[in-house]
Amino acid sequence: MLINCIFLAISSSIDSLGIGITYGIRNIKISFASKFILLAISIFISFISVCFGSFLTCFLPDFFTNFFASFILFIIAFIIIIKSLFDKKTHNNSYFDFNHSNIIDPKESCFLSLALSLDSFGIGISSSLIGINPLFFTFFISIFQFVFLNFGIWIGYKIKKYSNIPNFVWSFISAFLLFAIRTI
C-alpha cells in the first residue's frame, strides 16, 4: 500500500514540477512565506480529502467504495483531458503572479496552492476509499508538491541561464509547458 500511496501522491503533484519549470524560465520567484503557505494549504487540503474519504468508508460497503474511488479517478482524468482539449486558457499569462512583480507573494500563493491541490482533493478521497493511510498520503503529497515545485524552478532557471534563446521564445515554451501539464 505504501507504493500505491507514493504513486498517487506523485501523480497528483506532477503539476507542481511543470509550473515550477515555467516559473524558473520566466524568472518568477516564490518568497519563503509563500512556500510555507503553499505547503500548509497542501497539507490541509490533502488531509481534508482523505478524512472525507475515510468518513465515507464508514457508511458505504467495500465494493461500493472501491467502485466510487475508481469512478472519481476516472472523472478527474476525463475532466483533465477535456479541459486540455477545449480550454486553451487553463492558466492565464500571469501564472498566479497577479501584480506582475515576478515574485509570488503570500496572497498569490494561496491561489496557486488551491490550483495545485484541486486534483489532489479527488485523488485523496479515492485513496482513502481504497485503504491508503491518510497520514502517509497527506505527508507524501505535500512533500512531493513542495519538492517538485522547487526542483522545477531550479530546472527552469538552469535552462534559461545556459541558453541564448530570446525571451519571447521562453514565453512560448512556458505557455506550452502549462498546456502540456494538463494534457499529460
Side-chain angles (χ1 to χ4, degrees), residues 9 12-13 16 34-52 109-110 112-114 116-118 120-121 124-125 127 133-147:
S12 62
S13 302
S16 300
S34 297
K35 287 180 182 180
F36 179 76
I37 290 169
L38 284 165
L39 184 62
I41 290 176
S42 174
I43 290 169
F44 178 74
I45 289 177
S46 301
F47 187 72
I48 293 297
S49 69
V50 292
C51 287
F52 181 69
S109 71
C110 291
L112 174 61
S113 61
L114 289 174
L116 291 174
S117 298
L118 285 178
S120 63
F121 187 79
I125 292 171
S127 70
N133 184 308
L135 294 177
F136 283 151
F137 181 76
T138 301
F139 172 76
F140 284 128
I141 198 165
S142 302
I143 294 302
F144 283 128
Q145 280 186 354
F146 186 77
V147 168

Side-chain angles (χ1 to χ4, degrees), residues 70-132:
S70 299
F71 181 72
I72 290 173
L73 290 175
F74 172 77
I75 293 298
I76 290 170
F78 183 73
I79 288 170
I80 289 171
I81 290 169
I82 294 301
K83 282 178 78 174
S84 68
L85 292 174
F86 295 107
D87 186 12
K88 305 292 190 235
K89 296 179 183 177
T90 304
H91 299 282
N92 66 17
N93 288 334
S94 65
Y95 309 115
F96 300 102
D97 181 20
F98 301 125
N99 61 7
H100 305 288
S101 65
N102 284 347
I103 298 174
I104 300 298
D105 63 34
K107 196 180 338 178
E108 293 165 335
S109 71
C110 291
F111 289 102
L112 174 61
S113 61
L114 289 174
L116 291 174
S117 298
L118 285 178
D119 291 343
S120 63
F121 187 79
I123 293 172
I125 292 171
S126 297
S127 70
S128 63
L129 292 175
I130 59 175
I132 287 179

